[in-house]
Amino acid sequence: MSAQLNPQYEQIGKAFTDQYYQMFDNPATRANLQQLYNAEQSLLSFEGQQMQGAVKIMEKLGGLTFQKIQHLVTTVDCQPMFDGGILVNVLGQLKTDDDPPQSFMQNFVLKPSADSFFIQHDVFRLVLHNVAA
């Protein structure tokens, strides 16, 4: 297998990020996120909890307790991967219900599949610094 860097990694990564959070933030389209994950080959680490496969991932995302959510993206950094995939790092703020915004980071590895991509890896963390005083 030869190394194949995708020259459009930046545009693809940023367009994916826009689509992902638009779908996530809208309760009417959130269930459609399942189409972005692979049935077996997708992994999610959510606040340290690990799950594999689109069904388990959607069970986790669907079980979150907020009524309203808004992802405010500060920056998106993308890198091409040698297998044609794309690494996407997102930094932003998360606003749920009437709570104050909290910083978050999320990393995605997008894997090529036919003429599209799926999320192979998804790592989400709130940026909380619980440092003892």
Side-chain angles (χ1 to χ4, degrees):
M1 187 163 107
S2 63
Q4 185 62 43
L5 296 176
N6 188 321
Q8 296 179 302
Y9 69 92
E10 190 83 26
Q11 301 94 309
I12 293 168
K14 289 183 174 178
F16 159 78
T17 302
D18 290 344
Q19 178 188 18
Y20 182 88
Y21 292 122
Q22 284 173 10
M23 290 172 74
F24 198 115
D25 292 355
N26 182 344
T29 58
R30 190 171 303 133
N32 296 338
L33 288 172
Q34 185 162 345
Q35 300 166 10
L36 302 179
Y37 293 97
N38 182 278
E40 291 93 28
Q41 297 177 21
S42 290
L43 298 165
L44 169 67
S45 175
F46 187 91
E47 289 292 312
Q49 286 184 294
Q50 304 281 336
M51 52 235 44
Q52 180 176 351
V55 171
K56 294 280 187 206
I57 290 169
M58 292 310 297
E59 284 174 7
K60 176 63 183 174
L61 298 180
L64 299 174
T65 58
F66 56 79
Q67 297 300 309
K68 296 182 301 184
I69 187 167
Q70 184 179 16
H71 291 84
L72 307 167
V73 173
T74 304
T75 187
V76 178
D77 296 303
C78 304
Q79 286 185 344
M81 297 175 62
F82 291 104
D83 64 358
I86 301 168
L87 174 65
V88 181
N89 182 54
V90 181
L91 182 66
Q93 288 194 313
L94 186 65
K95 179 108 179 68
T96 55
D97 299 328
D98 295 320
D99 297 332
Q102 292 186 301
S103 295
F104 78 95
M105 52 90 25
Q106 192 161 12
N107 293 306
F108 299 97
V109 172
L110 306 180
K111 253 342 195 192
S113 175
D115 60 349
S116 188
F117 291 85
F118 72 91
I119 303 169
Q120 185 174 47
H121 299 277
D122 179 353
V123 179
F124 175 89
R125 275 273 181 197
L126 291 174
V127 181
L128 303 174
H129 300 282
N130 296 326
V131 180

